[in-house]
Amino acid sequence: MVLIRTAKRIVPLSLKEGFHKHKGVPGDLAARVTNRLNGQPPVPPAELIYLVAGHGSANVFLAGGRSACDAINAILAKNGLRMEQFDNVLDFGCGVGRIIRHWNQSERPVLHGTDYNPDLIGWCQENLSACKFRVNSLSGSLPYDDETFDFIYSFSVFTHLKEPLQFHWIDELGRVLKPGGYVYLTTHGKYYLSILNAAEQEQFDKGHLVVREQEQSGSNSCAVFHPPSYVRDVLARNLTVVDFVECGAQGDSMHDAHLLRKV
């Protein structure tokens, strides 16, 4: 033990940092190989995963996407719905396909994904060919006709948009949603109160949106926190709230889950 402690003291800090940075590489590689042996689409490179998730782990990427997919299925089933009953489904802010890759792509519905990062969409187009992908702008219109989709889901997108963009995009999702169609979205709720300062907590408790780094809107640097009442009464003002599950989004987060319906 003395020898081990001595060795730890004389190992340069740079080598220690390098070890901790790469110690997960064997497991990460195993996850990628196992994924391909199981006939699944390839896993994105670590740098693309990092852009959407803040980490580069294939293991966490696959598990988080699968868990988020399960959470969507669960809230649909709770309300008497099934993914297979929809004709066209949109993954709004699909990133690099973390969730869309886990749906059964040999049956209904037709799966669409859109994101404002062309590099992420380019990878999806090349590697997730069973789905249809389009690029959207940060604040323009979606490249779809009115009333195209039966179901739209948006995982960890409204959590990174300043308030004017939130209104823009909820209205735009409503435009491309069919009457009677559903929107599923996730938000930072009460679970995240502990990371807010006292003024932000008071703002949240009063039912107001809390936005950090709004000038970085659209990136992970912008963090937004939604009181459930704000989603119900303000953001979803033109939609009907069907269900709300605190910390119900799963994935690699503890987001709240909201299921909304267009009348």
Side-chain angles (χ1 to χ4, degrees):
M1 292 298 293
V2 174
L3 181 60
I4 292 174
R5 288 196 296 269
T6 302
K8 286 183 177 179
R9 284 198 297 270
I10 65 175
V11 172
L13 179 60
S14 60
L15 290 182
K16 291 180 181 178
E17 290 174 342
F19 169 75
H20 287 291
K21 180 178 180 181
H22 298 291
K23 67 180 181 179
V25 168
D28 193 70
L29 180 60
R32 291 175 179 274
V33 171
T34 300
N35 177 73
R36 294 302 282 151
L37 289 175
N38 288 336
Q40 299 303 309
V43 178
E47 58 269 23
L48 292 186
I49 294 176
Y50 181 83
L51 286 178
V52 297
H55 63 78
S57 169
N59 258 321
V60 176
F61 175 82
L62 291 171
R66 190 176 301 110
S67 178
C69 181
D70 290 343
I72 294 172
N73 276 327
I75 200 169
L76 289 176
K78 179 183 173 186
N79 291 280
L81 302 167
R82 296 180 303 109
M83 192 70 167
E84 293 77 16
Q85 78 184 64
F86 303 126
D87 293 319
N88 288 283
V89 169
L90 175 64
D91 183 333
F92 173 64
C94 65
V96 75
R98 172 169 51 170
I99 299 175
I100 201 170
R101 65 184 291 124
H102 292 286
W103 301 115
N104 185 342
Q105 298 172 7
S106 63
E107 302 176 359
R108 291 175 63 190
V110 179
L111 299 170
H112 302 256
T114 183
D115 199 280
Y116 83 101
N117 187 320
D119 294 331
L120 304 182
I121 290 297
W123 188 91
C124 288
Q125 289 171 333
E126 291 180 8
N127 296 279
L128 303 175
S129 58
C131 308
K132 302 175 184 294
F133 294 96
R134 305 278 293 274
V135 177
N136 62 266
S137 65
L138 182 59
S139 58
S141 299
L142 287 170
Y144 304 105
D145 294 334
D146 295 355
E147 302 180 3
T148 297
F149 300 102
D150 312 277
F151 180 55
I152 301 170
Y153 63 90
S154 184
F155 184 93
S156 192
V157 175
F158 285 82
T159 50
H160 303 292
L161 296 175
K162 60 185 179 181
E163 191 170 40
L165 284 179
Q166 303 230 1
F167 291 134
H168 167 76
W169 283 116
I170 198 70
D171 289 344
E172 187 63 6
L173 295 185
R175 178 185 70 80
V176 300
L177 188 67
K178 294 177 181 178
Y182 295 85
V183 174
Y184 169 95
L185 59 86
T186 74
T187 59
H188 293 137
K190 291 181 181 178
Y191 177 85
Y192 293 89
L193 276 178
S194 62
I195 70 174
L196 300 182
N197 61 39
E200 291 170 332
Q201 288 188 21
E202 182 179 2
Q203 186 177 345
F204 185 98
D205 288 340
K206 290 181 177 179
H208 301 309
L209 195 69
V210 177
V211 183
R212 288 180 168 179
E213 304 293 338
Q214 65 174 339
E215 66 278 3
Q216 301 296 322
S217 186
S219 75
N220 286 335
S221 297
C222 176
V224 184
F225 305 85
H226 294 75
S229 61
Y230 176 91
V231 177
R232 181 186 67 242
D233 300 331
V234 181
L235 184 62
R237 64 202 184 285
N238 295 322
L239 299 167
T240 299
V241 177
V242 175
D243 203 353
F244 166 74
V245 182
E246 187 171 340
C247 298
Q250 298 179 44
D252 50 6
S253 71
M254 296 299 291
H255 290 192
D256 291 346
H258 308 261
L259 185 64
L260 315 173
R261 185 173 183 267
K262 178 178 178 179
V263 178

